[in-house]
Amino acid sequence: MYKAMLVLAGLLVSLTLISGCGYVFKSASVEHIDTIRIAPIEILDADFAYDNASKRPYDEVIREKLTKRFNQKWRDGNDAEFTMRIQDFDIREHSYGAQGEVEMVRMTLQIEYKFFDRVRNNMIAQTNNHLQAHDFYIVPGRAEPMETIEEAKVHIVDELVEDLYNQLAER
């Protein structure tokens, strides 16, 4: 039993050292891509149309953030194309306090996206039901600071961009 724990600890240390040294696995499916085009974002839910924080439409905000993040790996161009449609935006009560009051809210975006390889003329990835969720407290004194709905919208967009990048660019 002691030997098994030592082996497991050694493996964890090795993995930490490898990942800490910048090792990135590159899939053969995207290594030939040098450029990407982020198509205009389509938003079907009017409740998620406008970002009050930046005073701009969310389609522009999201496209700009996606372009900035994906351009850390690829330049602007036409080797690949990413299209996205936000089908639904929802906010629901998620957790209640001892007196039955709402403490936590779950915000979700239901997304459809396609990542198309124009060089090899094939679909790299696509889905009709990607669900991005962000839980946040609306009362003070909990495990995390409370957030307003506008702050939560900023966070869910940032999390969406990062998750899509990790799923698609770091395949």
Side-chain angles (χ1 to χ4, degrees):
M1 180 70 168
Y2 181 71
K3 278 187 172 180
M5 291 186 71
L6 282 176
V7 169
L8 180 59
L11 285 173
L12 289 174
V13 169
S14 297
L15 286 174
T16 302
L17 290 174
I18 290 171
S19 64
C21 294
Y23 177 79
V24 177
F25 175 74
K26 286 182 79 172
S27 170
S29 65
V30 295
E31 69 184 14
H32 64 282
I33 294 174
D34 294 322
T35 64
I36 188 170
R37 178 182 180 271
I38 307 292
I41 307 301
E42 186 177 355
I43 299 177
L44 303 180
D45 192 324
D47 292 333
F48 198 73
Y50 192 74
D51 177 20
N52 289 327
S54 68
K55 307 285 189 242
R56 296 174 47 213
Y58 263 116
D59 58 342
E60 292 177 6
V61 171
I62 295 169
R63 184 173 186 219
E64 183 178 286
K65 287 183 178 196
L66 280 167
T67 300
K68 183 177 180 179
R69 183 64 174 115
F70 277 74
N71 282 352
Q72 291 177 355
K73 181 172 184 127
W74 298 302
R75 299 178 322 273
D76 285 329
N78 289 316
D79 288 353
E81 181 175 36
F82 179 79
T83 59
M84 182 170 77
R85 177 182 305 159
I86 297 176
Q87 299 169 325
D88 188 43
F89 168 72
D90 191 37
I91 301 177
R92 294 190 190 262
E93 300 166 346
H94 187 63
S95 178
Y96 301 90
Q99 306 300 319
E101 70 280 3
V102 177
E103 291 184 343
M104 182 182 278
V105 175
R106 173 166 284 172
M107 179 179 288
T108 59
L109 292 173
Q110 183 182 354
I111 295 170
E112 170 185 314
Y113 68 79
K114 294 178 183 174
F115 187 36
F116 188 76
D117 179 348
R118 292 188 173 279
V119 174
R120 295 185 179 163
N121 199 31
N122 69 324
M123 190 65 64
I124 296 170
Q126 77 178 72
T127 185
N128 294 341
N129 60 358
H130 177 87
L131 193 64
Q132 188 73 36
H134 177 72
D135 296 336
F136 61 101
Y137 288 100
I138 58 172
V139 295
R142 298 301 182 259
E144 297 176 18
M146 61 186 270
E147 294 179 26
T148 66
I149 290 176
E150 291 306 315
E151 290 169 331
K153 284 180 177 180
V154 170
H155 290 140
I156 198 169
V157 167
D158 290 344
E159 292 164 5
L160 171 66
V161 168
E162 192 62 28
D163 288 351
L164 289 172
Y165 179 82
N166 289 335
Q167 289 173 24
L168 302 172
E170 298 298 329
R171 297 171 64 85

mmCIF file of all heavy atoms in Angstrom, residues 34-68:
data_model
loop_
_atom_site.group_PDB
_atom_site.id
_atom_site.type_symbol
_atom_site.label_atom_id
_atom_site.label_comp_id
_atom_site.label_asym_id
_atom_site.label_seq_id
_atom_site.Cartn_x
_atom_site.Cartn_y
_atom_site.Cartn_z
ATOM 1 N N ASP A 34 -3.061 27.999 -39.546
ATOM 2 C CA ASP A 34 -2.262 29.169 -39.167
ATOM 3 C C ASP A 34 -3.123 30.406 -38.920
ATOM 4 O O ASP A 34 -2.686 31.332 -38.251
ATOM 5 C CB ASP A 34 -1.242 29.500 -40.253
ATOM 6 C CG ASP A 34 -0.184 28.426 -40.412
ATOM 7 O OD1 ASP A 34 0.239 27.855 -39.382
ATOM 8 O OD2 ASP A 34 0.210 28.146 -41.559
ATOM 9 N N THR A 35 -4.325 30.414 -39.508
ATOM 10 C CA THR A 35 -5.192 31.586 -39.390
ATOM 11 C C THR A 35 -6.620 31.153 -39.100
ATOM 12 O O THR A 35 -7.011 30.023 -39.383
ATOM 13 C CB THR A 35 -5.179 32.423 -40.685
ATOM 14 O OG1 THR A 35 -5.722 31.646 -41.760
ATOM 15 C CG2 THR A 35 -3.778 32.892 -41.039
ATOM 16 N N ILE A 36 -7.396 32.083 -38.544
ATOM 17 C CA ILE A 36 -8.796 31.805 -38.225
ATOM 18 C C ILE A 36 -9.625 33.059 -38.447
ATOM 19 O O ILE A 36 -9.134 34.176 -38.252
ATOM 20 C CB ILE A 36 -8.948 31.303 -36.767
ATOM 21 C CG1 ILE A 36 -10.382 30.845 -36.513
ATOM 22 C CG2 ILE A 36 -8.505 32.357 -35.785
ATOM 23 C CD1 ILE A 36 -10.561 30.116 -35.190
ATOM 24 N N ARG A 37 -10.846 32.835 -38.855
ATOM 25 C CA ARG A 37 -11.815 33.927 -38.999
ATOM 26 C C ARG A 37 -12.923 33.679 -37.990
ATOM 27 O O ARG A 37 -13.529 32.605 -37.971
ATOM 28 C CB ARG A 37 -12.406 33.948 -40.397
ATOM 29 C CG ARG A 37 -13.458 35.021 -40.583
ATOM 30 C CD ARG A 37 -14.063 34.985 -41.990
ATOM 31 N NE ARG A 37 -15.055 35.999 -42.140
ATOM 32 C CZ ARG A 37 -16.345 35.836 -41.845
ATOM 33 N NH1 ARG A 37 -16.775 34.692 -41.372
ATOM 34 N NH2 ARG A 37 -17.204 36.821 -42.008
ATOM 35 N N ILE A 38 -13.173 34.655 -37.132
ATOM 36 C CA ILE A 38 -14.292 34.591 -36.193
ATOM 37 C C ILE A 38 -15.445 35.334 -36.858
ATOM 38 O O ILE A 38 -15.382 36.549 -37.062
ATOM 39 C CB ILE A 38 -13.951 35.251 -34.834
ATOM 40 C CG1 ILE A 38 -12.668 34.682 -34.238
ATOM 41 C CG2 ILE A 38 -15.136 35.132 -33.878
ATOM 42 C CD1 ILE A 38 -12.729 33.255 -33.784
ATOM 43 N N ALA A 39 -16.475 34.594 -37.237
ATOM 44 C CA ALA A 39 -17.631 35.189 -37.921
ATOM 45 C C ALA A 39 -18.437 36.037 -36.931
ATOM 46 O O ALA A 39 -18.350 35.835 -35.711
ATOM 47 C CB ALA A 39 -18.501 34.077 -38.496
ATOM 48 N N PRO A 40 -19.230 36.971 -37.439
ATOM 49 C CA PRO A 40 -20.104 37.735 -36.529
ATOM 50 C C PRO A 40 -20.965 36.784 -35.693
ATOM 51 O O PRO A 40 -21.457 35.779 -36.180
ATOM 52 C CB PRO A 40 -20.959 38.572 -37.485
ATOM 53 C CG PRO A 40 -20.090 38.735 -38.690
ATOM 54 C CD PRO A 40 -19.343 37.429 -38.820
ATOM 55 N N ILE A 41 -21.103 37.117 -34.427
ATOM 56 C CA ILE A 41 -21.868 36.308 -33.480
ATOM 57 C C ILE A 41 -23.351 36.635 -33.645
ATOM 58 O O ILE A 41 -23.719 37.803 -33.754
ATOM 59 C CB ILE A 41 -21.424 36.600 -32.027
ATOM 60 C CG1 ILE A 41 -19.912 36.453 -31.870
ATOM 61 C CG2 ILE A 41 -22.190 35.742 -31.036
ATOM 62 C CD1 ILE A 41 -19.351 35.105 -32.212
ATOM 63 N N GLU A 42 -24.167 35.602 -33.631
ATOM 64 C CA GLU A 42 -25.612 35.789 -33.730
ATOM 65 C C GLU A 42 -26.223 35.505 -32.359
ATOM 66 O O GLU A 42 -25.942 34.477 -31.743
ATOM 67 C CB GLU A 42 -26.189 34.830 -34.771
ATOM 68 C CG GLU A 42 -27.636 35.047 -35.058
ATOM 69 C CD GLU A 42 -28.148 34.115 -36.153
ATOM 70 O OE1 GLU A 42 -27.354 33.375 -36.746
ATOM 71 O OE2 GLU A 42 -29.363 34.127 -36.382
ATOM 72 N N ILE A 43 -27.050 36.431 -31.878
ATOM 73 C CA ILE A 43 -27.716 36.262 -30.587
ATOM 74 C C ILE A 43 -29.221 36.247 -30.824
ATOM 75 O O ILE A 43 -29.784 37.217 -31.326
ATOM 76 C CB ILE A 43 -27.321 37.375 -29.602
ATOM 77 C CG1 ILE A 43 -25.812 37.320 -29.349
ATOM 78 C CG2 ILE A 43 -28.101 37.231 -28.296
ATOM 79 C CD1 ILE A 43 -25.273 38.394 -28.444
ATOM 80 N N LEU A 44 -29.855 35.128 -30.465
ATOM 81 C CA LEU A 44 -31.284 34.961 -30.699
ATOM 82 C C LEU A 44 -32.142 35.388 -29.515
ATOM 83 O O LEU A 44 -33.349 35.536 -29.676
ATOM 84 C CB LEU A 44 -31.587 33.499 -31.050
ATOM 85 C CG LEU A 44 -30.840 32.945 -32.262
ATOM 86 C CD1 LEU A 44 -31.225 31.487 -32.500
ATOM 87 C CD2 LEU A 44 -31.118 33.775 -33.510
ATOM 88 N N ASP A 45 -31.567 35.574 -28.348
ATOM 89 C CA ASP A 45 -32.318 35.945 -27.155
ATOM 90 C C ASP A 45 -32.119 37.426 -26.864
ATOM 91 O O ASP A 45 -31.011 37.861 -26.536
ATOM 92 C CB ASP A 45 -31.855 35.099 -25.961
ATOM 93 C CG ASP A 45 -32.771 35.218 -24.771
ATOM 94 O OD1 ASP A 45 -33.300 36.325 -24.525
ATOM 95 O OD2 ASP A 45 -32.950 34.204 -24.068
ATOM 96 N N ALA A 46 -33.173 38.195 -26.968
ATOM 97 C CA ALA A 46 -33.099 39.646 -26.781
ATOM 98 C C ALA A 46 -32.658 40.035 -25.368
ATOM 99 O O ALA A 46 -32.129 41.132 -25.166
ATOM 100 C CB ALA A 46 -34.449 40.280 -27.101
ATOM 101 N N ASP A 47 -32.839 39.161 -24.394
ATOM 102 C CA ASP A 47 -32.421 39.460 -23.020
ATOM 103 C C ASP A 47 -30.899 39.504 -22.866
ATOM 104 O O ASP A 47 -30.398 39.939 -21.837
ATOM 105 C CB ASP A 47 -32.993 38.422 -22.046
ATOM 106 C CG ASP A 47 -34.509 38.513 -21.927
ATOM 107 O OD1 ASP A 47 -35.058 39.612 -22.139
ATOM 108 O OD2 ASP A 47 -35.130 37.480 -21.622
ATOM 109 N N PHE A 48 -30.187 39.035 -23.871
ATOM 110 C CA PHE A 48 -28.727 39.032 -23.819
ATOM 111 C C PHE A 48 -28.157 39.830 -24.991
ATOM 112 O O PHE A 48 -27.111 39.515 -25.524
ATOM 113 C CB PHE A 48 -28.199 37.588 -23.848
ATOM 114 C CG PHE A 48 -26.785 37.459 -23.376
ATOM 115 C CD1 PHE A 48 -26.468 37.593 -22.045
ATOM 116 C CD2 PHE A 48 -25.769 37.210 -24.273
ATOM 117 C CE1 PHE A 48 -25.161 37.471 -21.603
ATOM 118 C CE2 PHE A 48 -24.450 37.085 -23.847
ATOM 119 C CZ PHE A 48 -24.156 37.224 -22.515
ATOM 120 N N ALA A 49 -28.811 40.871 -25.373
ATOM 121 C CA ALA A 49 -28.410 41.615 -26.562
ATOM 122 C C ALA A 49 -27.431 42.747 -26.288
ATOM 123 O O ALA A 49 -26.587 43.045 -27.128
ATOM 124 C CB ALA A 49 -29.642 42.180 -27.260
ATOM 125 N N TYR A 50 -27.506 43.358 -25.108
ATOM 126 C CA TYR A 50 -26.752 44.586 -24.874
ATOM 127 C C TYR A 50 -25.973 44.502 -23.567
ATOM 128 O O TYR A 50 -26.514 44.127 -22.527
ATOM 129 C CB TYR A 50 -27.727 45.770 -24.825
ATOM 130 C CG TYR A 50 -27.071 47.115 -24.875
ATOM 131 C CD1 TYR A 50 -26.539 47.601 -26.063
ATOM 132 C CD2 TYR A 50 -26.985 47.905 -23.741
ATOM 133 C CE1 TYR A 50 -25.930 48.847 -26.117
ATOM 134 C CE2 TYR A 50 -26.388 49.153 -23.783
ATOM 135 C CZ TYR A 50 -25.860 49.619 -24.973
ATOM 136 O OH TYR A 50 -25.262 50.846 -25.026
ATOM 137 N N ASP A 51 -24.683 44.863 -23.614
ATOM 138 C CA ASP A 51 -23.814 44.878 -22.448
ATOM 139 C C ASP A 51 -23.840 46.275 -21.838
ATOM 140 O O ASP A 51 -23.283 47.216 -22.409
ATOM 141 C CB ASP A 51 -22.392 44.493 -22.857
ATOM 142 C CG ASP A 51 -21.404 44.559 -21.709
ATOM 143 O OD1 ASP A 51 -21.838 44.530 -20.537
ATOM 144 O OD2 ASP A 51 -20.199 44.618 -21.981
ATOM 145 N N ASN A 52 -24.492 46.408 -20.701
ATOM 146 C CA ASN A 52 -24.591 47.724 -20.057
ATOM 147 C C ASN A 52 -23.249 48.231 -19.558
ATOM 148 O O ASN A 52 -23.029 49.436 -19.485
ATOM 149 C CB ASN A 52 -25.598 47.671 -18.902
ATOM 150 C CG ASN A 52 -27.013 47.533 -19.406
ATOM 151 O OD1 ASN A 52 -27.357 48.056 -20.462
ATOM 152 N ND2 ASN A 52 -27.832 46.814 -18.660
ATOM 153 N N ALA A 53 -22.341 47.318 -19.214
ATOM 154 C CA ALA A 53 -21.030 47.734 -18.701
ATOM 155 C C ALA A 53 -20.214 48.458 -19.776
ATOM 156 O O ALA A 53 -19.617 49.499 -19.519
ATOM 157 C CB ALA A 53 -20.261 46.531 -18.179
ATOM 158 N N SER A 54 -20.176 47.909 -20.986
ATOM 159 C CA SER A 54 -19.383 48.522 -22.052
ATOM 160 C C SER A 54 -20.221 49.408 -22.974
ATOM 161 O O SER A 54 -19.682 50.064 -23.849
ATOM 162 C CB SER A 54 -18.698 47.438 -22.890
ATOM 163 O OG SER A 54 -19.663 46.713 -23.624
ATOM 164 N N LYS A 55 -21.526 49.380 -22.786
ATOM 165 C CA LYS A 55 -22.462 50.160 -23.624
ATOM 166 C C LYS A 55 -22.399 49.732 -25.090
ATOM 167 O O LYS A 55 -22.514 50.551 -25.999
ATOM 168 C CB LYS A 55 -22.185 51.657 -23.511
ATOM 169 C CG LYS A 55 -22.145 52.193 -22.101
ATOM 170 C CD LYS A 55 -23.505 52.317 -21.510
ATOM 171 C CE LYS A 55 -23.481 53.050 -20.195
ATOM 172 N NZ LYS A 55 -23.926 52.266 -19.076
ATOM 173 N N ARG A 56 -22.205 48.398 -25.302
ATOM 174 C CA ARG A 56 -22.106 47.858 -26.661
ATOM 175 C C ARG A 56 -22.951 46.602 -26.773
ATOM 176 O O ARG A 56 -23.202 45.918 -25.784
ATOM 177 C CB ARG A 56 -20.656 47.511 -26.973
ATOM 178 C CG ARG A 56 -19.745 48.715 -26.991
ATOM 179 C CD ARG A 56 -18.290 48.387 -27.150
ATOM 180 N NE ARG A 56 -18.024 47.428 -28.204
ATOM 181 C CZ ARG A 56 -17.045 46.531 -28.151
ATOM 182 N NH1 ARG A 56 -16.246 46.455 -27.106
ATOM 183 N NH2 ARG A 56 -16.841 45.701 -29.137
ATOM 184 N N PRO A 57 -23.357 46.241 -27.977
ATOM 185 C CA PRO A 57 -24.077 44.974 -28.168
ATOM 186 C C PRO A 57 -23.177 43.786 -27.822
ATOM 187 O O PRO A 57 -21.976 43.797 -28.117
ATOM 188 C CB PRO A 57 -24.414 44.969 -29.660
ATOM 189 C CG PRO A 57 -24.277 46.376 -30.116
ATOM 190 C CD PRO A 57 -23.256 47.015 -29.215
ATOM 191 N N TYR A 58 -23.777 42.749 -27.201
ATOM 192 C CA TYR A 58 -22.992 41.585 -26.791
ATOM 193 C C TYR A 58 -22.380 40.844 -27.978
ATOM 194 O O TYR A 58 -21.328 40.243 -27.845
ATOM 195 C CB TYR A 58 -23.839 40.603 -25.969
ATOM 196 C CG TYR A 58 -23.646 40.802 -24.495
ATOM 197 C CD1 TYR A 58 -24.693 41.221 -23.701
ATOM 198 C CD2 TYR A 58 -22.416 40.579 -23.889
ATOM 199 C CE1 TYR A 58 -24.517 41.417 -22.345
ATOM 200 C CE2 TYR A 58 -22.230 40.774 -22.535
ATOM 201 C CZ TYR A 58 -23.286 41.191 -21.763
ATOM 202 O OH TYR A 58 -23.100 41.389 -20.428
ATOM 203 N N ASP A 59 -23.008 40.868 -29.134
ATOM 204 C CA ASP A 59 -22.415 40.171 -30.276
ATOM 205 C C ASP A 59 -21.043 40.757 -30.605
ATOM 206 O O ASP A 59 -20.097 40.022 -30.894
ATOM 207 C CB ASP A 59 -23.342 40.169 -31.493
ATOM 208 C CG ASP A 59 -23.733 41.558 -31.976
ATOM 209 O OD1 ASP A 59 -23.600 42.538 -31.216
ATOM 210 O OD2 ASP A 59 -24.190 41.660 -33.122
ATOM 211 N N GLU A 60 -20.905 42.075 -30.510
ATOM 212 C CA GLU A 60 -19.608 42.713 -30.757
ATOM 213 C C GLU A 60 -18.609 42.403 -29.641
ATOM 214 O O GLU A 60 -17.440 42.129 -29.905
ATOM 215 C CB GLU A 60 -19.773 44.232 -30.857
ATOM 216 C CG GLU A 60 -20.529 44.699 -32.073
ATOM 217 C CD GLU A 60 -20.732 46.206 -32.093
ATOM 218 O OE1 GLU A 60 -20.182 46.908 -31.200
ATOM 219 O OE2 GLU A 60 -21.448 46.685 -32.985
ATOM 220 N N VAL A 61 -19.076 42.450 -28.396
ATOM 221 C CA VAL A 61 -18.203 42.199 -27.241
ATOM 222 C C VAL A 61 -17.653 40.780 -27.299
ATOM 223 O O VAL A 61 -16.447 40.559 -27.146
ATOM 224 C CB VAL A 61 -18.976 42.428 -25.919
ATOM 225 C CG1 VAL A 61 -18.161 41.965 -24.717
ATOM 226 C CG2 VAL A 61 -19.381 43.888 -25.773
ATOM 227 N N ILE A 62 -18.529 39.815 -27.548
ATOM 228 C CA ILE A 62 -18.111 38.411 -27.578
ATOM 229 C C ILE A 62 -17.171 38.148 -28.748
ATOM 230 O O ILE A 62 -16.145 37.483 -28.588
ATOM 231 C CB ILE A 62 -19.339 37.473 -27.625
ATOM 232 C CG1 ILE A 62 -20.133 37.612 -26.323
ATOM 233 C CG2 ILE A 62 -18.909 36.026 -27.853
ATOM 234 C CD1 ILE A 62 -21.495 36.951 -26.358
ATOM 235 N N ARG A 63 -17.497 38.668 -29.912
ATOM 236 C CA ARG A 63 -16.629 38.458 -31.074
ATOM 237 C C ARG A 63 -15.240 39.056 -30.827
ATOM 238 O O ARG A 63 -14.225 38.451 -31.158
ATOM 239 C CB ARG A 63 -17.252 39.067 -32.324
ATOM 240 C CG ARG A 63 -16.425 38.792 -33.563
ATOM 241 C CD ARG A 63 -17.126 39.250 -34.804
ATOM 242 N NE ARG A 63 -16.370 38.830 -35.977
ATOM 243 C CZ ARG A 63 -16.232 39.580 -37.042
ATOM 244 N NH1 ARG A 63 -16.810 40.762 -37.113
ATOM 245 N NH2 ARG A 63 -15.527 39.149 -38.062
ATOM 246 N N GLU A 64 -15.203 40.241 -30.250
ATOM 247 C CA GLU A 64 -13.919 40.881 -29.955
ATOM 248 C C GLU A 64 -13.104 40.038 -28.971
ATOM 249 O O GLU A 64 -11.900 39.847 -29.152
ATOM 250 C CB GLU A 64 -14.178 42.268 -29.376
ATOM 251 C CG GLU A 64 -12.932 43.068 -29.082
ATOM 252 C CD GLU A 64 -13.300 44.444 -28.559
ATOM 253 O OE1 GLU A 64 -13.747 45.282 -29.366
ATOM 254 O OE2 GLU A 64 -13.147 44.662 -27.337
ATOM 255 N N LYS A 65 -13.740 39.522 -27.932
ATOM 256 C CA LYS A 65 -13.032 38.707 -26.940
ATOM 257 C C LYS A 65 -12.576 37.381 -27.543
ATOM 258 O O LYS A 65 -11.464 36.920 -27.262
ATOM 259 C CB LYS A 65 -13.916 38.470 -25.709
ATOM 260 C CG LYS A 65 -14.058 39.707 -24.855
ATOM 261 C CD LYS A 65 -14.873 39.448 -23.606
ATOM 262 C CE LYS A 65 -14.927 40.712 -22.767
ATOM 263 N NZ LYS A 65 -15.363 40.458 -21.397
ATOM 264 N N LEU A 66 -13.417 36.756 -28.365
ATOM 265 C CA LEU A 66 -13.022 35.516 -29.034
ATOM 266 C C LEU A 66 -11.837 35.755 -29.962
ATOM 267 O O LEU A 66 -10.875 34.989 -29.973
ATOM 268 C CB LEU A 66 -14.189 34.935 -29.833
ATOM 269 C CG LEU A 66 -15.236 34.155 -29.074
ATOM 270 C CD1 LEU A 66 -16.467 33.923 -29.955
ATOM 271 C CD2 LEU A 66 -14.685 32.831 -28.568
ATOM 272 N N THR A 67 -11.899 36.824 -30.744
ATOM 273 C CA THR A 67 -10.823 37.145 -31.677
ATOM 274 C C THR A 67 -9.517 37.390 -30.920
ATOM 275 O O THR A 67 -8.470 36.853 -31.291
ATOM 276 C CB THR A 67 -11.189 38.385 -32.523
ATOM 277 O OG1 THR A 67 -12.380 38.088 -33.262
ATOM 278 C CG2 THR A 67 -10.076 38.752 -33.482
ATOM 279 N N LYS A 68 -9.584 38.158 -29.860
ATOM 280 C CA LYS A 68 -8.378 38.448 -29.071
ATOM 281 C C LYS A 68 -7.792 37.159 -28.503
ATOM 282 O O LYS A 68 -6.578 36.948 -28.560
ATOM 283 C CB LYS A 68 -8.724 39.425 -27.945
ATOM 284 C CG LYS A 68 -7.542 39.839 -27.120
ATOM 285 C CD LYS A 68 -7.936 40.861 -26.075
ATOM 286 C CE LYS A 68 -6.727 41.269 -25.248
ATOM 287 N NZ LYS A 68 -7.079 42.263 -24.245
#
